[in-house]
Amino acid sequence: MPPTLRKRKAPEPAPAPPPAPKKAAAAAPKKAAAPKKAAAAPKKAAAAAAAPKKQAAPAAVEEEAEADKTEPAAAPAKSSKPVAVGDVVVHLDAFGGEIKTNDGKETTLKKLLDESKSGVVLFTYPKASTPGCTKQVCFFRDAYKPLTADGLAIYGLSADSPKANTTFQTNQKLPYPLLCDPDYTLIAAIGLKKSPKGTQRGVFVIDKEGKVLVAEAGSPQGTVDRVKALVEDLKE
């Protein structure tokens, strides 16, 4: 009998390798990257530690800015509202600062009040030896005795130098001193300073207790007439 041929089974294909190792291999780099994140942590911690130092600078700037804001608050002394009739000047020692008489003697409004019997009259004029101011000082010169009979002390007041005011006083034969206020401290305090510089013609009267009796601008004749009217009122 012829030999029987048997069919051989085809060889089975080799099983595909499991995909798990590839996922594990892919996961490994991600885990390996973790140290980099961990390494970044100290930098963030260092930055956090340095943060207070960076924030200190703005605080200092704010303090300086706040100081700048508070400085103008001390300015009211210079730009404060002038005294008005009826006001009582409380701090006479500091009111108007220091000035000089035409002979160079330093004085203050407080000293002038202390030396007076019943009060002080200050009439202001823009510039010594000019026509309008010459008329004004002569009006007060001619009315000097009746104006001072009840104890008022009269002074002319301007921003002129002692030399200029001494010449003015001598030439016009004035019986009263002229006060020199080149910094406009007293002129400004009584409300007769022009802005930004200059003297407004006017008159200011204050009694021994520091009460303001007159405070107003006026003409050469008007200033002396105002004091005459005050003296008449005080007699009544």
Side-chain angles (χ1 to χ4, degrees):
M1 293 182 66
T4 302
L5 297 176
R6 295 182 182 179
K7 292 182 181 180
R8 293 182 179 178
K9 293 182 181 180
E12 294 181 4
K22 291 183 180 180
K23 292 182 179 179
K30 292 183 180 179
K31 292 182 179 179
K36 293 184 179 179
K37 293 182 180 179
K43 293 183 179 179
K44 292 182 179 179
K53 294 182 179 178
K54 290 182 180 179
Q55 292 174 356
V61 172
E62 289 177 4
E63 286 180 5
E64 291 179 3
E66 193 64 28
D68 292 338
K69 291 179 182 178
T70 57
E71 286 180 2
K78 292 184 179 180
S79 59
S80 59
K81 185 178 178 181
V83 292
V85 174
D87 290 347
V88 176
V89 181
V90 179
H91 302 292
L92 274 170
D93 289 333
F95 185 80
E98 285 194 347
I99 51 177
K100 288 184 178 181
T101 60
N102 60 276
D103 59 3
K105 179 184 176 182
E106 291 187 352
T107 188
T108 63
L109 179 59
K110 174 68 164 54
K111 290 180 181 178
L112 298 178
L113 276 173
D114 290 342
E115 294 168 1
S116 72
K117 291 182 180 179
S118 62
V120 167
V121 175
L122 301 175
F123 69 88
T124 57
Y125 53 93
K127 189 171 179 61
S129 301
T130 55
C133 299
T134 299
K135 287 181 181 179
Q136 186 180 19
V137 298
C138 290
F139 288 148
F140 276 95
R141 177 197 64 194
D142 298 342
Y144 181 74
K145 286 186 178 180
L147 292 182
T148 59
D150 293 328
L152 287 176
I154 293 178
Y155 298 90
L157 173 64
S158 74
D160 294 295
S161 67
K163 182 178 180 181
N165 270 336
T166 296
T167 300
F168 196 24
Q169 184 197 43
T170 302
N171 290 345
Q172 304 307 323
K173 299 179 175 60
L174 304 179
Y176 51 82
L178 299 179
L179 304 175
C180 309
D181 185 14
D183 295 326
Y184 299 93
T185 54
L186 182 54
I187 295 171
I190 63 176
L192 292 170
K193 179 183 181 294
K194 289 183 178 179
S195 179
K197 186 178 181 181
T199 303
Q200 184 175 15
R201 194 187 311 279
V203 63
F204 178 85
V205 184
I206 185 170
D207 67 14
K208 291 282 284 186
E209 286 70 40
K211 183 179 180 180
V212 179
L213 305 178
V214 177
E216 62 186 57
S219 64
Q221 183 69 60
T223 52
V224 70
D225 287 346
R226 183 66 187 86
V227 180
K228 287 179 179 179
L230 174 67
V231 170
E232 291 300 318
D233 291 342
L234 293 176
K235 288 179 180 179
E236 295 179 357

